[in-house]
Amino acid sequence: MSNEVQQNLMAISDEIMVEMRSVNKWYGEFHVLKDINITVRRGERIVLCGPSGSGKSTTIRCINRLEEHQTGDIIVAGTPLTNDLKNIEVIRREVGMVFQHFNLFPHLTVLENCCLAPVWVRKMPKKEAEEIAMNYLKRVKIPDQALKYPGQLSGGQQQRVAIARSLCMNPEVMLFDEPTSALDPEMIKEVLDTMIELAEDGMTMLCVTHEMGFAKTVANRVVFMDGGQIIEENCPHEFFNNPQSERTQLFLSQILQH
Amino acid sequence: MPSKKKDLAKGRTAFWNDPEKRSMLYQIIMLVILIICGAYIISNTLHNLDSRGIKTGFDFLWSEAGFGINQSLIEYDESHSYGRTFFVGLLNTILVASLGILLATILGFTIGIARLSNNWLIAKISAVYIETFRNIPLLLQIFFWYFAVLRPLPRPKQSIELFDVFFLNNRGLAMPAPNILEGFGWVLLVFALSLIVVIGVKRWAKNRQDTTGKGFPIISVSLAIMLGLPALTYLFVGSPIDWEVPTLRGFNYRGGITVIPELLALLLALSVYTAAFIAEIVRSGILSINKGQTEASFALGLSRPKMLKLVIIPQAMRVIIPPLTSQFLNLVKNSSLATAIGYPDLVSVFAGTTLNQTGQAIEVIAMTMAVYLTLSLLISLFMNWYNKRIALVER
C-alpha cells in the first residue's frame, strides 16, 4: 500500500504555495504560536501532529485568516496575508478547508452546499457549478446523495461532502483540521481514502491529524509541534524511525503504543 | 387467589386497570363536571339579568350610536349604528397593529443585527436602545410619546413645516391627500402591466444567472420599471391626481389627511417597545447558529453580508419565528392600551363608549374578546405555516 501510494504521488514543483515566516500569535497574554516557520511547495503534503493544545490547528487556521497572527509574514500562492480585505478574499478563494465537525450548511442540500460558493463567490453559472459539483461528488463516491440534506447522511458521508464542497472552489491548497477525529472507526477509512486520492492528484495539502498511518503513506514531511513551537520537522521515514528530540520520542511512544 | 391467577394467565384485564379505558373514564367525568358548571353559570347569569330587567341579545347593534369618533377609516358620524362603531374600532385596531408589526419587525431586525456588529459604537448604541426601551413599561412609553413629545408641539399656526406640504403640530400630522380624477385608471393599468413585466424580467434574470453566472441589478431595475412607467403614464395623461394640500383655515389645517397624534404616539410606542424585544430575539437566533457555520462560510470565501444572507439568517429564522410570533401577538393585544390616550381602537370605542352607553356588557365584551382571539389565531396560523416551510430536514 505504502509504496504504491508513494509511486502514484506526483512530483513536487519548486513553486512555493504557502510560506510562514516567524509567525507569532498571542491570545491575550498567552503565547500560542512561537516563531513558526513553514514552507510548503506546490504538490507537497504536510502532516502536522502533536499533543492537544500544541497550536497545530491554530497554525493552519492562520493561513486563511480564521485566526489572526500578530507578527511575522504569511504568503499564500503569492499573495501576502495582510489586514487588507481584498487579499484575505483572494487567499480564502484559493484555500479550501475541511473541519473536524464538517460544518456543512444544514438548510441546503448536498448539491446546494457544493454550489453556494462557486455561484456567489466565483460568479459561476449555476448549471456549470452543478456539473462541477456532481463531478466532485462522484469522485468522493456519493453522487446519489446530491439531493439529500446533510442531516440525512452519516458522518463519513458528510465529511466527504465537505471535501467535495471545498474542491468545487478549485483551490490551490487544502487545509484539513483533524478531519477524522469526529468519525466512527469504520468511517475514518472512507475519508482517508478520499484524502489519499486527492494527494495522488497532486493537491497541496496541510493536514492536522492523529492518523499516523496516513502520515506514513502520504506525507512528504511531518511537522511535530508542542507548546506552540515546531519541535521537529522531517520526512516520515526519519520522523517515525529516528526521531531527534526527546519530546518527539515520548509523543511517538505514547501514540504508537496501541 | 387461584381465580385471580387464572385471570392474569388468560390476559384478561379489569377495565379499571386498563390505562386506555381508565383515562377515557377520567375524561368523561371531567367533561360532565365542566358541562354542569357551564350550565350553572349561564342559567345564573340569565336569571340575574332577567331579575334586574336587563335585556340580552344583539339588537342594540342596530340602534343609533349618537357619539363621534375622531378617526375612522370608513364613513361614520353620530347617526350611524353601534354595530358600525364596532367596525370603526376594529379597523382602527387593525390599522395600528399592522403598521406596528411592520415597523417593529424592520426596526427589530436592524437593531438585532447591529448589536452583533464589530463596530463598537453601533453595537453599544443598539444595546442601550434595547435595555432602555424594553425596561420601561409600555403604558409609560405611550404617555411619553403622547404627553411629552406630541402634545407639546406648537399650535397649528406655528406648525413645523416639511417641504410646505407636511405640517406637524399638536393636532397631529397634516399631509396632502390624493383626489383621484379621470384618467387615473390608465395609471393603474400601466402599473399592473409593469408588474407583469417585472415578473418576466425577474425570470429572465434568474435564468441568466443560472446559465451565465452574471448577476443582474434586479431590485433597482424592477423599482425603475414599477415606478417609472406609471409615473410616465401619469404625466402623459395629464396628472390625474389632484393633491389636496392642507391649508391653515381658522385654528386648524383643513383638507388633506391628518394623522391624529393619538395614532402617532401609539404607533411609535408599540413599534419602539416591541422592536427592542424583536432585536433580542434576532440576536439570540443568530448567536444560536454554530460558529462553525461562520468559519465554513469564510473559508469558502463568502463575504460577511453574503454569509449573513445565505447561511446565518436562513438558519436563524427557524429559531426566531416562534418567539417572534409571540411578539406579534403581544403587539396586537397591547394595542388595546390605546384607551389610555384616547386613540379610537376597538377597546376604546366599542368596549368603552359603546359598552357604557348600552350597558350590554356581556355581548360587547364577548365580541371584543372574539376579535382579539381571531386576530391572534390568524397570526399564529400564518407564522406556524411559515415556520414549517423553513424547517430543517433531519433524517
Side-chain angles (χ1 to χ4, degrees):
Chain A
M1 171 76 178
S2 166
N3 280 337
E4 192 190 325
V5 171
Q6 287 287 359
Q7 273 165 19
N8 286 339
L9 294 172
M10 285 157 71
I12 302 156
S13 80
D14 285 340
E15 188 189 348
I16 294 173
M17 288 307 299
V18 179
E19 183 159 26
M20 299 179 90
R21 279 195 299 243
S22 40
V23 170
N24 281 283
K25 176 175 174 58
W26 289 264
Y27 283 128
E29 290 288 294
F30 182 54
H31 201 170
V32 258
L33 296 183
K34 297 171 188 161
D35 196 32
I36 302 291
N37 287 286
I38 296 179
T39 305
V40 188
R41 295 189 165 73
R42 183 184 283 282
E44 255 192 322
R45 299 159 303 277
I46 312 290
V47 163
L48 288 92
C49 63
S52 60
S54 59
K56 33 191 209 313
S57 285
T58 311
T59 305
I60 67 165
R61 285 160 61 86
C62 279
I63 295 174
N64 64 351
R65 216 6 112 82
L66 290 187
E67 304 279 354
E68 199 175 327
H69 64 283
Q70 272 96 38
T71 64
D73 301 311
I74 299 178
I75 299 157
V76 184
T79 312
L81 180 63
T82 57
N83 282 330
D84 189 339
L85 282 175
K86 268 270 168 321
N87 285 13
I88 296 176
E89 258 173 48
V90 169
I91 288 174
R92 281 177 174 166
R93 243 178 277 160
E94 302 308 332
V95 177
M97 188 167 206
V98 174
F99 300 87
Q100 181 177 1
H101 296 287
F102 331 134
N103 295 349
L104 293 176
F105 306 132
H107 62 301
L108 301 175
T109 63
V110 166
L111 190 62
E112 287 166 343
N113 262 281
C114 294
C115 293
L116 189 79
V119 168
W120 289 94
V121 180
R122 289 236 192 261
K123 311 277 179 217
M124 196 184 277
K126 201 171 154 201
K127 281 257 166 56
E128 196 185 325
E130 282 179 350
E131 269 170 36
I132 291 171
M134 283 313 291
N135 262 335
Y136 281 116
L137 287 174
K138 269 179 208 147
R139 272 186 53 185
V140 300
K141 302 188 181 64
I142 35 175
D144 43 329
Q145 313 283 4
L147 299 179
K148 287 195 180 163
Y149 286 87
Q152 297 170 304
L153 306 183
S154 74
Q157 289 173 326
Q158 290 194 46
Q159 193 59 298
R160 283 184 285 155
V161 172
I163 294 174
R165 177 175 72 176
S166 290
L167 292 176
C168 283
M169 281 296 280
N170 197 17
E172 304 266 14
V173 184
M174 283 286 284
L175 309 175
F176 291 85
D177 189 2
E178 306 202 21
T180 55
S181 300
L183 295 174
D184 291 343
E186 68 236 60
M187 291 173 184
I188 291 179
K189 189 179 175 301
E190 60 187 56
V191 170
L192 286 181
D193 285 348
T194 310
M195 289 168 65
I196 291 171
E197 270 178 43
L198 202 58
E200 287 174 354
D201 289 344
M203 177 61 77
T204 313
M205 294 162 70
L206 275 100
C207 312
V208 173
T209 183
H210 299 297
E211 297 298 327
M212 290 304 138
F214 176 79
K216 277 178 193 164
T217 48
V218 179
N220 303 103
R221 266 182 296 147
V222 179
V223 174
F224 176 71
M225 291 183 71
D226 189 25
Q229 280 172 307
I230 295 181
I231 304 288
E232 193 165 342
E233 184 176 349
N234 220 330
C235 69
H237 186 264
E238 282 292 302
F239 180 81
F240 287 108
N241 297 324
N242 188 17
Q244 300 297 310
S245 93
E246 238 169 77
R247 186 66 191 90
T248 317
Q249 288 161 12
L250 180 68
F251 176 73
L252 286 175
S253 73
Q254 277 166 346
I255 206 169
L256 296 176
Q257 253 168 17
H258 34 208
Chain B
M1 275 311 264
S3 74
K4 205 169 189 182
K5 247 183 192 164
K6 218 164 62 189
D7 280 357
L8 284 175
K10 275 186 186 164
R12 209 188 297 154
T13 323
F15 86 91
W16 56 84
N17 281 337
D18 181 337
E20 236 173 74
K21 284 176 189 155
R22 195 193 284 201
S23 87
M24 184 68 92
L25 179 72
Y26 287 147
Q27 291 187 44
I28 290 171
I29 294 173
M30 189 70 208
L31 197 64
V32 168
I33 294 173
L34 269 178
I35 290 174
I36 293 172
C37 287
Y40 173 74
I41 290 171
I42 290 173
S43 78
N44 191 32
T45 312
L46 287 177
H47 178 258
N48 284 342
L49 287 171
D50 196 41
S51 65
R52 285 179 203 179
I54 298 173
K55 214 170 63 170
T56 52
F58 291 92
D59 294 340
F60 72 96
L61 290 175
W62 279 266
S63 40
E64 193 184 285
F67 64 92
I69 300 176
N70 60 351
Q71 176 193 297
S72 173
L73 296 178
I74 49 177
E75 200 190 320
Y76 176 84
D77 59 46
E78 286 86 345
S79 66
H80 282 98
S81 65
Y82 284 123
R84 198 150 177 106
T85 65
F86 172 78
F87 288 107
V88 171
L90 175 62
L91 286 174
N92 284 343
T93 289
I94 291 176
L95 175 74
V96 73
S98 42
L99 286 177
I101 284 178
L102 192 72
L103 282 179
T105 310
I106 296 170
L107 198 60
F109 268 75
T110 314
I111 292 168
I113 292 173
R115 190 166 181 189
L116 293 171
S117 165
N118 287 333
N119 184 317
W120 185 86
L121 189 64
I122 290 178
K124 280 289 167 286
I125 288 175
S126 311
V128 168
Y129 172 95
I130 292 167
E131 293 312 336
T132 310
F133 286 107
R134 72 171 180 168
N135 289 321
I136 296 174
L138 176 57
L139 186 58
L140 211 56
Q141 292 192 36
I142 294 175
F143 284 158
F144 168 76
W145 289 111
Y146 189 59
F147 292 113
V149 177
L150 294 173
R151 290 311 294 267
L153 282 172
R155 272 183 260 168
K157 274 196 170 162
Q158 288 93 35
S159 285
I160 302 166
E161 291 179 27
L162 268 177
F163 312 115
D164 285 337
V165 287
F166 293 98
F167 304 93
L168 190 62
N169 53 52
N170 63 3
R171 305 282 182 90
L173 175 69
M175 51 188 185
N179 272 341
I180 288 155
L181 306 175
E182 206 180 338
F184 190 70
W186 287 106
V187 180
L188 283 182
L189 186 72
V190 169
F191 181 69
L193 284 177
S194 69
L195 276 185
I196 297 171
V197 172
V198 163
I199 292 170
V201 169
K202 211 171 170 184
R203 283 227 179 121
W204 170 82
K206 186 175 182 313
N207 207 335
R208 194 174 85 138
Q209 157 110 43
D210 287 355
T211 48
T212 67
K214 280 185 199 141
F216 187 75
I218 185 71
I219 292 177
S220 41
V221 170
S222 303
L223 277 179
I225 294 174
M226 253 160 37
L227 300 178
L229 286 184
L232 282 178
T233 322
Y234 177 81
L235 293 176
F236 187 71
V237 294
S239 308
I241 293 182
D242 179 29
W243 288 99
E244 188 190 333
V245 178
T247 45
L248 189 63
R249 248 177 266 148
F251 290 113
N252 203 357
Y253 278 90
R254 309 274 164 199
I257 300 171
T258 303
V259 182
I260 56 173
E262 290 81 10
L263 173 60
L264 278 180
L266 185 64
L267 185 60
L268 275 170
L270 283 175
S271 327
V272 163
Y273 174 78
T274 313
F277 290 89
I278 293 179
E280 281 298 89
I281 290 169
V282 168
R283 183 172 77 107
S284 71
I286 290 175
L287 287 181
S288 76
I289 306 304
N290 193 319
K291 206 165 147 257
Q293 296 288 313
T294 318
E295 290 183 349
S297 313
F298 282 155
L300 284 167
L302 290 174
S303 62
R304 200 178 177 83
K306 274 183 187 151
M307 169 199 75
L308 272 175
K309 173 188 156 193
L310 297 168
V311 177
I312 305 299
I313 303 267
Q315 291 185 62
M317 279 314 273
R318 81 203 144 98
V319 186
I320 292 174
I321 292 290
L324 186 65
T325 310
S326 305
Q327 288 308 321
F328 287 174
L329 299 181
N330 276 344
L331 192 146
V332 171
K333 290 176 288 182
N334 285 340
S335 74
S336 61
L337 287 172
T339 316
I341 52 169
Y343 172 74
D345 83 321
L346 186 65
V347 171
S348 170
V349 169
F350 193 64
T353 316
T354 299
L355 170 57
N356 277 335
Q357 292 197 3
T358 61
Q360 303 284 351
I362 292 173
E363 295 84 347
V364 167
I365 294 294
M367 281 172 77
T368 311
M369 290 202 297
V371 163
Y372 283 99
L373 194 63
T374 314
L375 284 180
S376 298
L377 286 177
L378 285 177
I379 291 174
S380 291
L381 272 178
F382 172 76
M383 296 300 274
N384 287 345
W385 166 81
Y386 181 67
N387 201 26
K388 213 168 256 173
R389 223 185 60 135
I390 59 167
L392 281 190
V393 179
E394 304 282 346
R395 61 183 62 233

